[in-house]
Amino acid sequence: MERPIAQIETIRGIVKHFNCDPNQAVIIGVRGFFSKENKINVYDDAIFLTSPRAFQSFNANTDPSYARTGIATLKSGLWKYKLGIHGLSKPKFLQYKALVQADQVTVMRQNKGPDTGWFGINIHKGSRSTTSSLGCQTIHPDQWSSFITSVESEMKIAKQTVIPYVLVDKLLG
């Protein structure tokens, strides 16, 4: 799978545009990175991890896996995440470390409009047969371990308990 490629200056320009601290770790999501037409249930999006010490890219999905009335799509913007557990409503053996909401987010609910709150819009591992999203941001399963390990390491180095996640619909600049 071809990893997303972007200029470090472009990604760090997004960090600056959203007034994120350039001395901390920041995650940037780019919807529709690999396609002109945004698709669901496809890893056609990109997620970048940037910090003073790191610049990594990951194949991702920023859309729900299927369409249905009321399903959530995270609105573009700046959101706060923290390390936590994904799948709390599942049996313990299916739960794992992921990024969870550290504050309320705004989603667009299909055929209903915007909704703000605590919805469990996590950043977690997808699967091979589906992107595994009911509105979450998912990372391709082959890249998940590298992603979560890198994020955790960069947050620890920067002494962050919260990491900004900026979601954009296209690259700026």
CSV table of all heavy atoms in Angstrom, one decimal, residues 109-130:
chain,number,residue,atom,x,y,z
A,109,ARG,N,-24.3,14.6,11.0
A,109,ARG,CA,-25.1,13.4,10.9
A,109,ARG,C,-25.8,13.3,9.6
A,109,ARG,O,-26.5,14.3,9.2
A,109,ARG,CB,-26.1,13.3,12.1
A,109,ARG,CG,-25.3,13.2,13.4
A,109,ARG,CD,-26.1,12.5,14.4
A,109,ARG,NE,-25.4,12.4,15.7
A,109,ARG,CZ,-24.6,11.4,16.0
A,109,ARG,NH1,-24.4,10.4,15.2
A,109,ARG,NH2,-23.9,11.4,17.2
A,110,GLN,N,-25.6,12.2,8.9
A,110,GLN,CA,-26.2,12.1,7.5
A,110,GLN,C,-27.7,12.3,7.6
A,110,GLN,O,-28.4,11.7,8.4
A,110,GLN,CB,-25.9,10.7,7.0
A,110,GLN,CG,-26.2,10.6,5.5
A,110,GLN,CD,-25.6,9.3,4.9
A,110,GLN,OE1,-25.5,8.3,5.6
A,110,GLN,NE2,-25.2,9.4,3.7
A,111,ASN,N,-28.2,13.2,6.7
A,111,ASN,CA,-29.6,13.6,6.6
A,111,ASN,C,-30.2,14.2,7.8
A,111,ASN,O,-31.4,14.3,7.9
A,111,ASN,CB,-30.4,12.3,6.2
A,111,ASN,CG,-30.0,11.7,4.9
A,111,ASN,OD1,-29.6,12.4,4.0
A,111,ASN,ND2,-30.1,10.4,4.9
A,112,LYS,N,-29.3,14.6,8.8
A,112,LYS,CA,-29.8,15.3,10.0
A,112,LYS,C,-29.0,16.6,10.3
A,112,LYS,O,-29.6,17.5,11.0
A,112,LYS,CB,-29.7,14.3,11.2
A,112,LYS,CG,-30.6,13.2,11.1
A,112,LYS,CD,-30.7,12.4,12.4
A,112,LYS,CE,-31.7,11.4,12.4
A,112,LYS,NZ,-31.9,10.7,13.7
A,113,GLY,N,-27.8,16.7,9.9
A,113,GLY,CA,-27.0,17.9,10.2
A,113,GLY,C,-26.0,17.8,11.4
A,113,GLY,O,-25.7,16.7,11.8
A,114,PRO,N,-25.6,19.0,11.9
A,114,PRO,CA,-24.5,19.0,12.9
A,114,PRO,C,-25.0,18.6,14.3
A,114,PRO,O,-26.2,18.8,14.6
A,114,PRO,CB,-24.0,20.4,12.9
A,114,PRO,CG,-25.2,21.2,12.4
A,114,PRO,CD,-25.9,20.3,11.4
A,115,ASP,N,-24.1,18.0,15.0
A,115,ASP,CA,-24.4,17.5,16.4
A,115,ASP,C,-23.0,17.6,17.1
A,115,ASP,O,-22.0,17.1,16.7
A,115,ASP,CB,-24.9,16.1,16.3
A,115,ASP,CG,-25.5,15.6,17.6
A,115,ASP,OD1,-25.6,16.3,18.6
A,115,ASP,OD2,-25.9,14.4,17.6
A,116,THR,N,-23.1,18.2,18.3
A,116,THR,CA,-21.8,18.3,19.1
A,116,THR,C,-22.0,17.6,20.4
A,116,THR,O,-23.0,17.7,21.1
A,116,THR,CB,-21.6,19.8,19.4
A,116,THR,OG1,-21.4,20.5,18.1
A,116,THR,CG2,-20.3,20.0,20.2
A,117,GLY,N,-20.9,16.8,20.8
A,117,GLY,CA,-21.0,16.1,22.1
A,117,GLY,C,-19.9,15.1,22.2
A,117,GLY,O,-18.9,15.1,21.5
A,118,TRP,N,-20.1,14.2,23.1
A,118,TRP,CA,-19.2,13.1,23.4
A,118,TRP,C,-19.8,11.8,22.8
A,118,TRP,O,-20.7,11.2,23.3
A,118,TRP,CB,-19.1,12.8,24.9
A,118,TRP,CG,-18.5,14.0,25.7
A,118,TRP,CD1,-19.2,15.1,26.2
A,118,TRP,CD2,-17.1,14.2,25.9
A,118,TRP,NE1,-18.3,15.9,26.8
A,118,TRP,CE2,-17.0,15.4,26.6
A,118,TRP,CE3,-15.9,13.5,25.6
A,118,TRP,CZ2,-15.8,15.9,27.1
A,118,TRP,CZ3,-14.7,14.0,26.1
A,118,TRP,CH2,-14.6,15.2,26.8
A,119,PHE,N,-19.2,11.4,21.6
A,119,PHE,CA,-19.8,10.4,20.8
A,119,PHE,C,-18.9,9.1,20.7
A,119,PHE,O,-19.3,8.2,20.0
A,119,PHE,CB,-20.2,10.8,19.4
A,119,PHE,CG,-21.0,12.1,19.4
A,119,PHE,CD1,-20.6,13.2,18.8
A,119,PHE,CD2,-22.3,12.1,20.0
A,119,PHE,CE1,-21.3,14.4,18.8
A,119,PHE,CE2,-23.1,13.2,20.0
A,119,PHE,CZ,-22.6,14.4,19.4
A,120,GLY,N,-17.7,9.2,21.3
A,120,GLY,CA,-16.8,8.1,21.1
A,120,GLY,C,-16.2,8.1,19.7
A,120,GLY,O,-15.9,7.0,19.1
A,121,ILE,N,-16.0,9.3,19.1
A,121,ILE,CA,-15.3,9.4,17.8
A,121,ILE,C,-13.8,9.2,18.1
A,121,ILE,O,-13.1,10.2,18.3
A,121,ILE,CB,-15.7,10.7,17.1
A,121,ILE,CG1,-17.2,10.9,17.0
A,121,ILE,CG2,-14.9,10.8,15.8
A,121,ILE,CD1,-17.8,9.9,16.0
A,122,ASN,N,-13.4,8.0,18.1
A,122,ASN,CA,-12.0,7.6,18.4
A,122,ASN,C,-11.1,7.6,17.1
A,122,ASN,O,-11.6,7.6,16.0
A,122,ASN,CB,-11.9,6.3,19.1
A,122,ASN,CG,-12.7,6.3,20.4
A,122,ASN,OD1,-12.9,7.3,21.0
A,122,ASN,ND2,-13.0,5.1,20.9
A,123,ILE,N,-9.8,7.6,17.4
A,123,ILE,CA,-8.8,7.3,16.3
A,123,ILE,C,-8.3,5.9,16.7
A,123,ILE,O,-7.6,5.7,17.7
A,123,ILE,CB,-7.7,8.3,16.3
A,123,ILE,CG1,-8.3,9.7,16.1
A,123,ILE,CG2,-6.7,8.0,15.2
A,123,ILE,CD1,-7.3,10.9,16.2
A,124,HIS,N,-8.7,4.9,15.8
A,124,HIS,CA,-8.3,3.5,16.2
A,124,HIS,C,-8.0,2.7,14.9
A,124,HIS,O,-8.0,3.2,13.8
A,124,HIS,CB,-9.5,2.9,16.9
A,124,HIS,CG,-10.8,2.7,16.1
A,124,HIS,ND1,-11.0,1.6,15.3
A,124,HIS,CD2,-11.9,3.4,16.0
A,124,HIS,CE1,-12.2,1.7,14.8
A,124,HIS,NE2,-12.7,2.8,15.2
A,125,LYS,N,-7.7,1.4,15.1
A,125,LYS,CA,-7.3,0.5,14.1
A,125,LYS,C,-8.5,0.1,13.3
A,125,LYS,O,-9.5,-0.3,13.8
A,125,LYS,CB,-6.6,-0.7,14.7
A,125,LYS,CG,-6.2,-1.8,13.7
A,125,LYS,CD,-5.4,-2.9,14.4
A,125,LYS,CE,-6.3,-3.7,15.3
A,125,LYS,NZ,-5.7,-4.9,15.8
A,126,GLY,N,-8.3,0.2,11.9
A,126,GLY,CA,-9.3,-0.4,11.0
A,126,GLY,C,-9.1,-1.9,10.8
A,126,GLY,O,-8.2,-2.4,11.4
A,127,SER,N,-9.8,-2.5,9.9
A,127,SER,CA,-9.5,-3.9,9.5
A,127,SER,C,-9.3,-4.0,8.0
A,127,SER,O,-9.4,-3.0,7.3
A,127,SER,CB,-10.7,-4.8,10.0
A,127,SER,OG,-11.8,-4.5,9.1
A,128,ARG,N,-9.0,-5.1,7.6
A,128,ARG,CA,-8.7,-5.3,6.1
A,128,ARG,C,-10.0,-5.4,5.3
A,128,ARG,O,-10.0,-5.0,4.2
A,128,ARG,CB,-7.9,-6.6,6.0
A,128,ARG,CG,-6.4,-6.4,6.4
A,128,ARG,CD,-5.6,-7.6,6.2
A,128,ARG,NE,-4.2,-7.4,6.6
A,128,ARG,CZ,-3.8,-7.3,7.8
A,128,ARG,NH1,-4.7,-7.4,8.8
A,128,ARG,NH2,-2.5,-7.0,8.1
A,129,SER,N,-11.0,-5.9,5.9
A,129,SER,CA,-12.3,-6.1,5.1
A,129,SER,C,-13.2,-4.9,5.2
A,129,SER,O,-14.1,-4.8,4.3
A,129,SER,CB,-13.0,-7.4,5.6
A,129,SER,OG,-13.4,-7.2,7.0
A,130,THR,N,-13.0,-4.0,6.1
A,130,THR,CA,-13.8,-2.8,6.3
A,130,THR,C,-12.9,-1.8,7.0
A,130,THR,O,-11.9,-2.1,7.7
A,130,THR,CB,-15.1,-3.0,7.0
A,130,THR,OG1,-15.8,-1.8,7.2
A,130,THR,CG2,-14.9,-3.7,8.4
